[in-house]
């Protein structure tokens, strides 16, 4: 038996079901750059970046050094009671790189989920209004507040409801499939209609605290919005005194080629959340927003004992410096363009590639059964993932059928070429009926 199999068998005795989506038998030994090495010594190119939490790659020296240095000083003293310089430096940096031309404040957490919960508290408190609106297909996290904002999987609803009261969901302005799958219905007005109807009939706009968006819906299938929608949404928010919040946990920090994915749109959110890659993979999230909103509540309204620990703060400072020093924002944009030069032809070349979309190195490849109906081909997507895995490429599917292409921003051009070769070969193999032997039952979301 291989070492990987040993670990995986042992894992199943202790690690409980809700904590892992079943994909590949990969037990990691170590990693470097965009490469993962399993405990049996096999190397993989990582196109998943640990769910976009390794934007600067695996174990980069600036980050590991920063962690080691801080660990020798002190590992933690809670910011709930004391002060420390790494927190101050990171708070300042986050205020500088986040969007919004206003005075800001920051709060720290341990996961994207708790940051989004914080947004709910702050928005409700500041506006004095109860209701929160977000989007169908959104994934905002796993705590009850973030869950209540999410609407992506029945496994995140079944058996442990009810969710928190006062949450509503509207259709995401999906530029590819259109409103309820009708490709001819995808104008800004058509997408705003369900919200306007809500305001007219069952949710008073003056009682809505905030609308939460992902600029590109990540786990929802790397969905890009209809042009002009967010701008129109922000106008509506302003008209009704509703805060606009952006969850930039997956799309932020270089993933789309900019510090914040908000930069691609002409909007200025009142509040934004970062997480995932922020501390190079150590647990850390941040809420950054207008000072008057962020300071509105009083302690201990939103604090966590181990949040903003100096080890994570130093890791985050090193991560952000690395993004700057190695020009990783530009690298993400350039590598994204490079990939797209080849990938954008796939919609013509391959019957099962319905759409290729995204920004920078945040790319979705939409695998369909039929280009006309755009019906999702989950089976093909999973089989492609399985064959890629055998060929040393880690890639998964989101929304059932959308291949998630999100490598670390430090991936080399040679690795990109290899990954694209494997993907093309695998898509062809599927179309030639060569992937029928994979059993995908129980795999994926
Ligand atoms: C857009 C978005 N928001 C929030 C989260 C939740 O982050 P975490 O898993 O760190 O709680 C995720 C995680 O996938 C995400 O993609």
């Amino acid at each position: 038996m291989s070492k990987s199999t040993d670990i995986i068998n042992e894992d199943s005795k202790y690690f409980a079901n809700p904590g892992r989506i079943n994909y590949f038998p990969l037990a990691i030994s170590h990693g470097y750059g965009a490469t993962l090495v399993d405990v049996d010594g096999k190397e993989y190119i990582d196109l998943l970046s640990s769910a976009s939490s390794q934007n600067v790659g695996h174990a980069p020296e600036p980050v590991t050094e920063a962690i080691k240095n801080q660990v020798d000083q002190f590992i933690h003293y809670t910011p709930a009671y004391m002060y420390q310089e790494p927190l101050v430096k990171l708070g300042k940096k986050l205020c500088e790189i986040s969007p919004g031309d206003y005075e800001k404040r920051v709060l720290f957490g341990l996961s994207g989920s708790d940051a989004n919960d914080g947004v709910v508290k702050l928005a409700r408190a500041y506006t004095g209004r109860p209701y929160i609106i977000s989007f169908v297909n959104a994934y905002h996290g796993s705590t009850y507040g973030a869950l209540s904002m999410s609407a992506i999987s029945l496994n995140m609803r079944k058996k442990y409801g009810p969710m928190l009261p006062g949450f509503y969901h509207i259709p995401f302005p999906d530029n590819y499939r259109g409103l309820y799958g009708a490709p001819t219905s995808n104008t800004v007005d058509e997408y705003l209609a369900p919200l306007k109807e809500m305001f007219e009939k069952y949710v008073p706009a003056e009682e809505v605290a905030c609308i939460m968006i992902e600029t590109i819906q990540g786990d929802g299938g790397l969905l890009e919005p209809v042009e002009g929608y967010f701008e129109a949404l922000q106008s509506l928010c302003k008209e009704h005194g509703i805060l606009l919040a952006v969850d930039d946990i997956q799309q932020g920090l270089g993933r789309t080629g900019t510090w914040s994915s908000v930069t691609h749109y002409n909007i200025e959110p009142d509040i934004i959340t970062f997480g995932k890659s922020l501390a190079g993979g150590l647990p850390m999230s941040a809420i950054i927003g207008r000072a008057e909103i962020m300071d509105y509540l009083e302690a201990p309204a939103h604090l966590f004992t181990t949040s903003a620990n100096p080890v994570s703060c130093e890791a985050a400072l090193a991560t952000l410096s690395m993004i700057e020093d190695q020009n990783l924002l530009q690298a993400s944009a350039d590598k994204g363009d490079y990939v797209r030069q080849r990938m954008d032809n796939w919609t013509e070349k391959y019957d099962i590639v319905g759409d290729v979309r995204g920004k920078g190195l945040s790319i979705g490849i939409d695998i369909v059964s039929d280009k006309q109906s755009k019906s999702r081909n989950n089976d093909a997507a999973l089989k492609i993932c399985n064959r890629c895995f055998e060929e040393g490429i880690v890639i998964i599917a989101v929304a059932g059928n959308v291949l998630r292409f999100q490598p670390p921003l430090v991936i080399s051009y040679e690795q990109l070429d290899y990954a694209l070769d494997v993907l093309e070969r695998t898509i062809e193999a599927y179309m030639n009926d060569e992937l029928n032997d994979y059993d995908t039952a129980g795999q994926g979301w």
Side-chain angles (χ1 to χ4, degrees):
M1 226 184 340
S2 70
K3 229 172 153 185
S4 297
T5 313
D6 272 351
I7 290 174
I8 292 163
N9 287 345
E10 199 66 359
D11 175 284
S12 67
K13 293 185 206 156
Y14 303 108
F15 192 61
N17 282 341
R20 185 180 298 110
I21 301 163
N22 179 32
Y23 264 103
F24 310 118
L26 175 50
I28 297 158
S29 153
H30 60 282
Y32 56 95
T35 302
L36 283 174
V37 186
D38 78 9
V39 288
D40 297 300
K42 181 169 175 183
E43 296 210 342
Y44 297 84
I45 295 175
D46 184 10
L47 298 185
L48 178 57
S49 304
S50 178
S52 200
S53 71
Q54 299 290 293
N55 285 2
V56 293
H58 296 289
E61 209 181 313
V63 179
T64 56
E65 283 304 309
I67 292 170
K68 287 177 205 162
N69 290 340
Q70 181 57 43
V71 163
D72 286 339
Q73 302 305 311
F74 74 109
I75 292 175
H76 189 48
Y77 205 100
T78 183
Y81 294 121
M82 299 295 162
Y83 302 85
Q84 33 114 343
E85 196 175 17
L87 178 156
V88 179
K89 283 187 178 161
L90 181 60
K92 179 167 186 273
K93 186 74 191 167
L94 287 173
C95 288
E96 284 164 10
I97 64 168
S98 58
D101 188 14
Y102 44 72
E103 193 184 341
K104 297 172 192 159
R105 298 280 187 276
V106 182
L107 281 166
F108 290 101
L110 302 162
S111 68
S113 307
D114 68 51
N116 289 335
D117 275 33
V119 170
V120 175
K121 293 182 195 169
L122 291 161
R124 281 180 167 170
Y126 179 74
T127 59
R129 301 171 174 197
Y131 299 124
I132 307 288
I133 295 174
S134 55
F135 288 84
V136 177
N137 279 324
Y139 182 73
H140 293 296
S142 209
T143 49
Y144 266 103
L147 257 177
S148 303
M149 274 193 268
S150 305
I152 187 171
S153 159
L154 284 179
N155 285 351
M156 293 176 62
R157 295 266 157 172
K158 278 193 285 196
K159 301 179 190 165
Y160 58 82
M163 299 293 120
L164 300 186
F167 288 70
Y168 293 92
H169 300 87
I170 51 176
F172 186 81
D174 177 354
N175 200 27
Y176 175 57
R177 284 200 168 73
L179 189 60
Y180 303 120
T184 48
S185 303
N186 65 350
T187 64
V188 170
D189 283 346
E190 279 160 316
Y191 272 115
L192 283 180
L195 180 63
K196 288 185 175 166
E197 185 183 42
M198 194 183 255
F199 288 166
E200 275 164 25
K201 295 186 181 155
Y202 58 100
V203 182
E206 69 278 11
E207 294 181 22
V208 176
C210 94
I211 298 184
M212 169 68 104
I213 58 179
E214 288 169 88
T215 54
I216 295 176
Q217 265 191 339
D219 292 354
L222 279 308
L223 295 183
E224 287 206 273
V226 167
E227 201 182 328
Y229 176 87
F230 289 147
E231 290 77 0
L233 183 72
Q234 175 139 61
S235 299
L236 210 60
C237 284
K238 285 192 173 144
E239 191 187 318
H240 295 291
I242 298 168
L243 301 180
L244 184 68
V246 171
D247 173 343
D248 221 9
I249 287 162
Q250 183 177 135
Q251 304 303 326
L253 303 177
R255 180 51 53 202
T256 68
T258 48
W259 280 124
S260 166
S261 67
V262 164
T263 314
H264 299 292
Y265 309 89
N266 195 13
I267 54 172
E268 189 182 62
D270 301 290
I271 195 160
I272 181 173
T273 50
F274 284 134
K276 287 192 185 277
S277 281
L278 176 55
L282 289 190
M284 170 167 270
S285 60
I287 315 171
I288 304 132
R290 291 182 187 277
E292 64 270 26
I293 301 171
M294 301 296 294
D295 278 335
Y296 195 81
L297 284 169
E298 277 162 35
H302 193 71
L303 55 81
F304 305 93
T305 306
T306 54
S307 70
N309 73 77
V311 182
S312 294
C313 287
E314 286 295 350
L317 285 163
T319 299
L320 301 178
S321 296
M322 194 176 151
I323 291 175
E324 277 172 342
D325 298 345
Q326 300 190 13
N327 278 327
L328 293 181
L329 300 181
Q330 193 58 47
S332 175
D334 292 346
K335 289 172 190 175
D337 285 349
Y338 179 78
V339 167
R340 294 293 289 276
Q341 269 170 29
R342 191 160 152 188
M343 244 186 220
D344 285 355
N345 298 325
W346 293 2
T347 49
E348 283 183 17
K349 210 167 156 189
Y350 302 117
D351 285 346
I352 60 166
V353 178
D355 192 28
V356 175
R357 53 180 176 259
K359 294 195 173 4
L361 281 176
S362 192
I363 301 170
I365 307 160
D366 202 308
I367 304 293
V368 295
S369 310
D370 162 24
K371 278 191 194 173
Q372 208 61 34
S373 69
K374 303 180 179 177
S375 51
R376 297 177 185 276
N377 196 341
N378 297 13
D379 181 60
L382 276 177
K383 285 178 172 158
I384 289 168
C385 292
N386 282 304
R387 171 59 70 84
C388 283
F389 179 69
E390 276 177 20
E391 297 217 24
I393 303 289
V394 171
I395 188 165
I396 68 159
V398 281
N401 72 311
V402 180
L403 301 177
R404 175 180 185 170
F405 193 97
Q406 291 186 328
L409 313 181
V410 294
I411 191 168
S412 69
Y413 282 91
E414 291 71 30
Q415 287 177 310
L416 285 174
D417 285 341
Y418 179 74
L420 291 171
D421 287 346
V422 171
L423 269 169
E424 285 214 63
R425 269 206 308 274
T426 308
I427 291 169
E428 278 162 17
Y430 178 84
M431 289 173 58
N432 293 334
D433 276 339
E434 290 164 22
L435 304 187
N436 292 335
D437 288 346
Y438 293 106
D439 178 9
T440 58
Q443 246 188 338
W445 275 70

